[in-house]
Amino acid sequence: MPGGRAKAHDQTSPAIVRSVADLREAVAGFHRDGHRVALVPTMGALHAGHMALVAAAGEAAARTVVSIFVNPTQFAPAEDLAAYPRDEADDLKKLAAAGVDLVFMPVVADMYGEGFATSLNVAGPGAGLESAARPHFFTGVATVVCKLLLQCLPDIAVFGEKDYQQLQVVRRMVRDLDIPSDILAIPTVREADGLACSSRNDYLSPEERTIAARLHEILHDTAARLRGGGAVIAEIERGMISLREAGFDGIDYLALCDGESLTPLSEAKEGARLLAAVRLSGTRLIDNLAL
Ligand code: PAF
C-alpha cells in the first residue's frame, strides 16, 4: 500500500513519550526517514473500535502514533472523569501487538499548564445534538484535538464514525484553522448483536446490555423506513416510541441530519445521517447510521 507500513508487525513495545518535545523529536525523525505518520487520538481503555482505528492508521502510513490522554476539559463536573476506565498496561500490550511505533501519554499539568486560557468553539456541526446535553463537550474535544494535532503534526489523523458529530467538528476545525493533517474516518465497530463498541459499555449490567443492543436495531429499522420513502417526522416519532418500549430511560435525541453540517433535515436526502443518544440507568449511549 503506498505510504503504508513497510515493516511486518512484531510484538516490540512501542516507544513511550510524555513530553511534547520528545513527541516532536520522534515524529520529526519519522519524517526525516521519509515516512508518513498517522496519529490515533484516544482516551485509552482501548477496545476493538480503537484497534480498528490503529489498524487503519497502519495501512495509511508507515509510522503510527497513538495518544492516550483522558481529557478533563471534555467532562462536565458531574460526569465520569474520575471513574473513566484506565488500564495503561493493557493498552500498551494491545498497541505493541498492533505494531504501533510511538505512544504519547502526556500528563494533565503539561497539557493544561498554569494559566491555560484558550479554548476552541466550533459552531456549525458542533451546535445541537450532543451539545444540547453536554454544552462543554465539543469545546473540550476541539481544544485537545487541536493541541494534539499541533503537537504531533501527523500527515493523517484517524477518527471513528461512532462519534459522528465529533468527527464533523474535527473536520470543520481542521479546515477552518488550516491544520495540515488529513482526517481519515473509520466505520463504527460493533459487537455481534450490533451494539457499537464503547468504553462506557462496561458500565452496563447484563440486563441493560440486552436493552442497549436495541439501539442499533431501531436505528437500522428507522433508516430503512426513511430510505423507503417514510416521512421524516412520522418515522422519527415511531423510532422514539420503539426506543421507549425497548426500555431506555431517556432519549436525548433521534434526528435525521445533513451528514456534514449536521443541520436537521425534514426530508431524507443523499448523505443524510440518522443519529441518536439515549440513556440507560446512568449510562449515555450514542450511535448513528448513514441513510
Ligand atoms: O473520541 C475520543 O476518545 C476523544 O474525544 C478524543 C478524540 C481522543 C479527544 O479527547
Side-chain angles (χ1 to χ4, degrees):
M1 189 137 194
R5 182 172 298 279
K7 61 180 185 182
H9 289 188
D10 56 31
Q11 297 275 327
T12 315
S13 295
I16 297 171
V17 290
R18 295 193 188 264
S19 74
V20 175
D22 288 346
L23 171 71
R24 287 208 171 125
E25 193 184 320
V27 172
F30 296 153
H31 281 144
R32 253 195 324 271
D33 291 341
H35 298 307
R36 277 158 64 77
V37 175
L39 170 70
V40 184
T42 80
M43 299 206 298
L46 303 178
H47 51 61
H50 297 110
M51 298 320 290
L53 307 185
V54 171
E59 292 295 321
R63 292 292 176 266
T64 302
V65 181
V66 174
S67 63
I68 298 179
F69 180 64
V70 182
N71 174 36
T73 64
Q74 66 192 75
F75 291 79
E79 288 181 351
D80 57 349
L81 173 62
Y84 196 82
R86 291 165 170 86
D87 192 344
E88 196 175 301
D90 187 59
D91 288 346
L92 291 174
K93 212 158 61 187
K94 288 176 178 155
L95 296 177
V100 164
D101 300 283
L102 188 69
V103 181
F104 177 46
M105 292 198 288
V107 296
V108 174
D110 287 343
M111 288 295 268
Y112 298 108
E114 181 83 22
F116 189 92
T118 302
S119 60
L120 265 169
N121 174 44
V122 181
L129 302 173
E130 286 301 288
S131 291
R134 311 176 72 199
H136 59 284
F137 180 65
F138 287 123
T139 300
V141 168
T143 305
V144 82
V145 171
C146 184
K147 279 175 70 75
L148 290 166
L149 292 176
L150 295 178
Q151 289 164 343
C152 182
L153 291 176
D155 301 280
I156 300 162
V158 188
F159 292 85
E161 287 187 349
K162 153 88 176 17
D163 295 290
Y164 192 82
Q165 192 178 9
Q166 167 174 281
L167 170 67
Q168 300 313 321
V169 164
V170 168
R171 283 195 190 286
R172 185 73 259 169
M173 174 189 76
V174 162
R175 235 177 289 148
D176 289 353
L177 300 183
D178 305 308
I179 296 174
S181 303
D182 292 332
I183 303 302
L184 179 63
I186 305 302
T188 303
V189 176
R190 300 181 180 281
E191 309 279 356
D193 61 5
L195 179 65
C197 291
S198 165
S199 308
R200 291 187 169 108
N201 292 350
D202 293 347
Y203 300 158
L204 302 170
S205 70
E207 297 75 40
E208 291 162 354
R209 178 67 190 68
T210 309
I211 296 171
R214 299 288 319 280
L215 174 58
H216 175 247
E217 191 187 314
I218 292 165
L219 275 177
H220 186 270
D221 290 351
T222 306
R225 286 205 181 82
L226 288 167
R227 253 180 243 122
V232 173
I233 293 179
E235 295 306 338
I236 294 289
E237 184 53 35
R238 188 205 289 251
M240 302 257 240
I241 292 168
S242 301
L243 287 168
R244 267 183 230 112
E245 285 175 355
F248 292 104
D249 306 321
I251 304 165
D252 283 357
Y253 56 81
L254 171 64
L256 185 71
C257 296
D258 178 85
E260 195 178 320
S261 67
L262 294 182
T263 314
L265 297 175
S266 52
E267 273 178 44
K269 64 164 197 178
E270 179 130 357
R273 202 91 189 174
L274 184 64
L275 303 102
V278 294
R279 293 174 191 264
L280 192 49
S281 301
T283 305
R284 198 162 173 281
L285 301 170
I286 61 171
D287 202 349
N288 67 88
L289 282 180
L291 212 61

